[in-house]
Amino acid sequence: MKYKRILLKLSGESLMGEKQYGIDNEVVRQYAEDIKAVHAQGLEIAIVIGGGNIFRGLSAEKSGMDRAQADYMGMLATVINSMALQDALEKVGLKTRLLTAIKMEQICEPFIRRRAVRHLEKGRVVIFGAGTGNPYFTTDSAAALRAIEIKADVVLKGTRVDGIYTADPEKDPTATKYSEISFKEVYAKGLNVMDMTAFTLCEENELPIIVFDMNKTGNFMKIANGDGIGTLVKN
């Protein structure tokens, strides 16, 4: 395996599958199987999931809700998704721990960095819920922050697209994919990889990002093996 410890960032929307809202259990099951296969190779895996399939703070703010209140509601949505993935992972035989930035003692542990690292060392899949615990920060920022805190080797951003393109491939058929690109090039070209806070955190801490299609079975294993799929962003 190319990496020892990885942080996998999943969007909440990816859990919807073909649905318009909520969680598609078949998608979650497929993710669990893919994660199990990679974990079996000895990798330490931490996961951050968004909540956009249930609630989006930014969208609620635009309709008149207080931004901080909306963001806290979005954090709770990420915990629901985290619990769904935790259940699926345990059903395929993995040991897991859900750690959240907001205390919810009945369902998860509070985030403590040393405890998270110890869980990883013991072979448990660690899921980080509730973002950073602060409004005005996205789950991309949470993924970058947690990856740095646990000293992950790479952030793997699983999306519905198989990498970073010159334009949106779903709208522009002439868009071409980058196999590798630098942080500075992403800034210069105005490409959308992660929000700026998360992206800057990764750049300043020399933490590479790989954007890939998580919905294709086997892609997660290929990434873990160092195969050249997706797009690598590095200094």
Side-chain angles (χ1 to χ4, degrees):
M1 294 284 104
K2 183 173 182 179
Y3 306 105
K4 171 64 176 171
R5 180 178 295 165
I6 60 179
L7 187 135
L8 175 63
K9 168 62 171 64
L10 299 171
S11 70
E13 288 88 343
S14 67
L15 300 186
M16 291 191 299
E18 299 301 318
K19 294 184 176 183
Q20 299 299 310
Y21 172 84
I23 298 169
D24 184 328
N25 288 330
E26 185 57 33
V27 171
V28 178
R29 187 198 62 77
Q30 179 223 308
Y31 284 178
E33 292 287 358
D34 287 349
I35 291 166
K36 178 183 179 181
V38 172
H39 185 269
Q41 301 303 311
L43 266 76
E44 296 175 2
I45 303 173
I47 305 169
V48 170
I49 315 174
N53 57 319
I54 298 172
F55 187 88
R56 292 190 67 85
L58 281 173
S59 299
E61 183 198 19
K62 288 176 183 175
S63 64
M65 185 177 285
D66 177 78
R67 171 65 189 274
Q69 184 82 339
D71 280 356
Y72 279 119
M73 291 172 69
M75 290 177 218
L76 300 183
T78 72
V79 177
I80 292 172
N81 285 338
S82 297
M83 291 175 70
L85 181 61
Q86 181 181 40
D87 179 73
L89 290 170
E90 291 182 344
K91 277 186 167 62
V92 297
L94 292 176
K95 295 186 184 302
T96 70
R97 288 293 187 275
L98 171 56
L99 279 63
T100 63
I102 297 173
K103 287 185 179 180
M104 304 180 195
E105 287 91 343
Q106 287 84 351
I107 57 174
C108 54
E109 299 176 16
F111 171 74
I112 299 170
R113 185 182 66 84
R114 290 180 183 275
R115 182 180 290 178
V117 170
R118 187 65 180 138
H119 287 322
L120 290 167
E121 291 171 347
K122 287 186 173 182
R124 297 164 183 153
V125 175
V126 175
I127 306 169
F128 297 120
T132 65
N134 303 287
Y136 302 98
F137 290 92
T138 67
T139 49
D140 277 351
S141 294
L145 177 63
R146 297 294 183 240
I148 293 162
E149 288 182 295
I150 65 172
K151 294 182 169 57
D153 300 317
V154 64
V155 172
L156 304 181
K157 183 166 183 180
T159 68
R160 296 180 298 175
V161 184
D162 63 342
I164 301 169
Y165 283 76
T166 53
D168 187 341
E170 295 179 352
K171 298 176 181 176
D172 185 353
T174 65
T176 56
K177 190 179 92 173
Y178 296 101
S179 59
E180 188 175 306
I181 190 169
S182 70
F183 284 97
K184 286 184 171 54
E185 284 180 286
V186 171
Y187 286 124
K189 297 177 188 293
L191 301 173
N192 185 24
V193 179
M194 284 180 156
D195 74 77
M196 199 56 69
T197 302
F199 198 72
T200 303
L201 266 175
C202 290
E203 181 187 23
E204 290 179 348
N205 289 275
E206 299 185 350
L207 179 66
I209 304 165
I210 299 177
V211 180
F212 73 106
D213 181 2
M214 181 69 182
N215 288 349
K216 186 174 181 181
T217 302
N219 270 2
F220 189 30
M221 178 65 80
K222 289 178 182 176
I223 288 286
N225 273 321
D227 293 359
I229 67 168
T231 301
L232 170 65
V233 185
K234 65 178 186 178
N235 283 333

